[in-house]
Amino acid sequence: MDATRKLDKLQSEIEENYGEKISALRRDIHREPELGFDTEKTAGKVLAALEGLPLEVETGVARNGIVATLRGGGEGPTVGLRADMDALPITEETDLSFASEIEGKMHACGHDGHTSMLVGAAHALCGMRGGLNGTVRFIFQPAEEGGGGGQVMVEEGAAEGLDSIFALHLWPGLPFGTVATKAGPIMAAADAFEMEVRGTGGHGAMPHLSADAVVIAAHVVTALQTVVSREVDPVEPAVLTVGEIGAGTAFNIIPEKARIGGTVRTLNEELRRKMPGRIEGLARGVARGMRGDATLDYRFSYPVTRNDAEAAARALETAASLFEGKPVLELPNPSMGAEDFAYFLQKVPGAFVWLGVGEDVSGLHTPQFAFDEKILPRGSALLAALAL
Ligand code: NI
């Protein structure tokens, strides 16, 4: 088919033919957010919205994930399009008419949008099946926000035989409708650590008879700030954040133990592997110097999300030919956030692409996050065009 000719009208066609369906699905998913791998109802809504399309549907991948395949004519490539379906443990604070009805759960990362945009793309591409040269695989995954649903889907074969793969993420802070990506790393590796700091407990009035775990932990947290500032090459991005600290039971007791938890973000695999050794060495040195000790439990989690250079360039070119005004941006820098689409990109060349929802939209993972639904048909059009 003449893909360029099709692209001109793609967004308006999707808006007219599927706009209401996409928005209705988004609202339905938004009302009933589900966490982690427990996206059974969400998957049911996706399946209902795909009903009647000429797709080969596989369910139960990574428990509640869905892989739906559209076979066009011809011997063209197999392209994967992936969306995430899970929500976050946040209580929603928007006044949307379709706000979360489930206390403590909210679609605060836009995955309700990603999922319905992909359903919209499936409808649009199924409508052009006759002229489609190749195969499109629609991948709906659970457990992006921790749990590594993407990794499980890849292990269960969702990326087998793909020639390329793309995914979108709605992005506050970028002008509305702007399509942004870059070659190479776009999101960081996100690892986690927990540390137990041990001293010896005692009476608050007799510190000389104990080793104070609170004071040791405070020094460890301060010393950890030197890992990035003094041990990492200044032109190499890295983050070490202590997000949790806890100890003690009463004002007049010196506790025996303290607990510290944090995250480490890196873009460089060699540096990533060095971090636990430096953190442990420094923490134990500080703790032992104060007559205590520390143990580190370090968990390597999502790897770097690394875009293929050609796929990233193609995504930007596609967006430029698809949308008037060519609102595309080649990102100068990656985000130090993380994304488990990384596991798909380890197997298949492709690109993770950000779609701007505006500069004055509350950030991802905030209780006020809400976006203008006009972005949905635009995202569907971009996904469909990337497959084309
Ligand atoms: Ni997300």
Side-chain angles (χ1 to χ4, degrees):
M1 86 165 59
D2 181 351
T4 334
R5 188 179 56 79
K6 282 273 178 194
L7 289 192
D8 297 346
K9 290 187 186 151
L10 197 52
Q11 191 188 347
S12 56
E13 276 176 13
I14 289 177
E15 229 159 44
E16 267 167 46
N17 299 331
Y18 315 112
E20 270 176 43
K21 192 176 179 97
I22 300 170
S23 151
L25 174 63
R26 184 261 163 155
R27 291 177 181 207
D28 197 15
I29 294 174
H30 193 90
R31 255 186 224 112
E32 267 187 301
E34 296 177 294
L35 304 184
F37 285 96
D38 299 326
T39 53
E40 194 179 346
K41 282 186 175 177
T42 308
K45 290 168 190 176
V46 169
L47 289 173
L50 297 175
E51 186 78 43
L53 295 179
L55 296 167
E56 292 161 31
V57 177
E58 191 186 348
T59 58
V61 186
R63 269 180 52 201
N64 285 307
I66 299 167
V67 176
T69 305
L70 169 63
R71 295 187 199 282
E75 297 294 304
T78 300
V79 179
L81 299 173
R82 169 277 203 180
D84 37 16
M85 299 191 288
D86 58 318
L88 284 158
I90 292 180
T91 297
E92 181 158 350
E93 292 173 20
T94 70
D95 43 20
L96 296 173
S97 61
F98 51 89
S100 171
E101 289 168 3
I102 299 175
E103 179 73 20
K105 297 182 189 175
M106 177 192 175
H107 269 287
C109 198
H111 299 189
D112 51 340
H114 306 163
T115 296
S116 36
M117 290 190 293
L118 187 54
V119 168
H123 277 269
L125 289 167
C126 286
M128 326 174 180
R129 187 189 188 189
L132 194 66
N133 175 29
T135 300
V136 185
R137 189 180 298 166
F138 304 94
I139 301 168
F140 299 90
Q141 75 148 83
E144 194 289 316
E145 302 287 356
Q151 181 177 28
V152 180
M153 289 206 79
V154 168
E155 283 166 3
E156 294 185 12
E160 283 320 311
L162 290 177
D163 295 297
S164 64
I165 189 163
F166 296 91
L168 291 189
H169 205 298
L170 296 175
W171 210 264
L174 264 185
F176 189 85
T178 295
V179 175
T181 191
K182 67 183 285 296
I186 183 165
M187 308 286 286
D191 303 320
F193 67 87
E194 275 189 49
M195 196 183 286
E196 187 179 84
V197 171
R198 286 182 310 280
T200 45
H203 196 298
M206 300 161 200
H208 59 298
L209 301 178
S210 59
D212 187 342
V214 168
V215 176
I216 298 172
H219 278 270
V220 167
V221 171
T222 304
L224 288 179
Q225 305 313 304
T226 66
V227 172
V228 171
S229 69
R230 302 288 87 183
E231 302 203 39
V232 176
D233 184 335
V235 297
E236 180 68 55
V239 178
L240 190 164
T241 290
V242 173
E244 294 173 282
I245 182 163
T249 53
F251 79 102
N252 56 358
I253 300 172
I254 291 173
E256 185 190 346
K257 288 178 186 170
R259 195 180 54 82
I260 294 168
T263 185
V264 175
R265 308 295 171 107
T266 51
L267 298 176
N268 171 318
E269 192 60 27
E270 199 186 330
L271 172 62
R272 185 186 185 202
R273 299 284 154 184
K274 267 190 205 161
M275 291 302 257
R278 287 315 305 134
I279 290 169
E280 185 172 36
L282 187 56
R284 294 193 80 176
V286 169
R288 285 173 169 181
M290 301 175 85
R291 292 181 288 111
D293 206 345
T295 46
L296 178 69
D297 177 14
Y298 202 89
R299 292 190 308 280
F300 287 106
S301 183
Y302 294 178
V304 173
T305 302
R306 194 176 299 278
N307 284 343
D308 176 69
E310 204 183 306
R314 183 172 309 163
L316 293 175
E317 279 164 29
T318 303
S321 58
L322 186 61
F323 303 126
E324 270 174 50
K326 306 193 191 324
V328 297
L329 173 69
E330 188 172 354
L331 294 167
N333 293 308
S335 158
M336 296 306 276
E339 165 62 51
D340 87 345
F341 186 56
Y343 293 105
F344 288 95
L345 291 178
Q346 283 184 330
K347 288 273 175 191
V348 183
F352 187 61
V353 178
W354 300 352
L355 182 59
V357 290
E359 283 141 304
D360 49 6
V361 167
S362 181
L364 298 174
H365 296 209
T366 65
Q368 296 84 20
F369 175 67
F371 59 86
D372 184 340
E373 285 184 339
K374 286 197 190 81
I375 203 67
L376 298 176
R378 199 177 178 88
S380 294
L382 180 59
L383 286 166
L386 287 168
L388 289 172

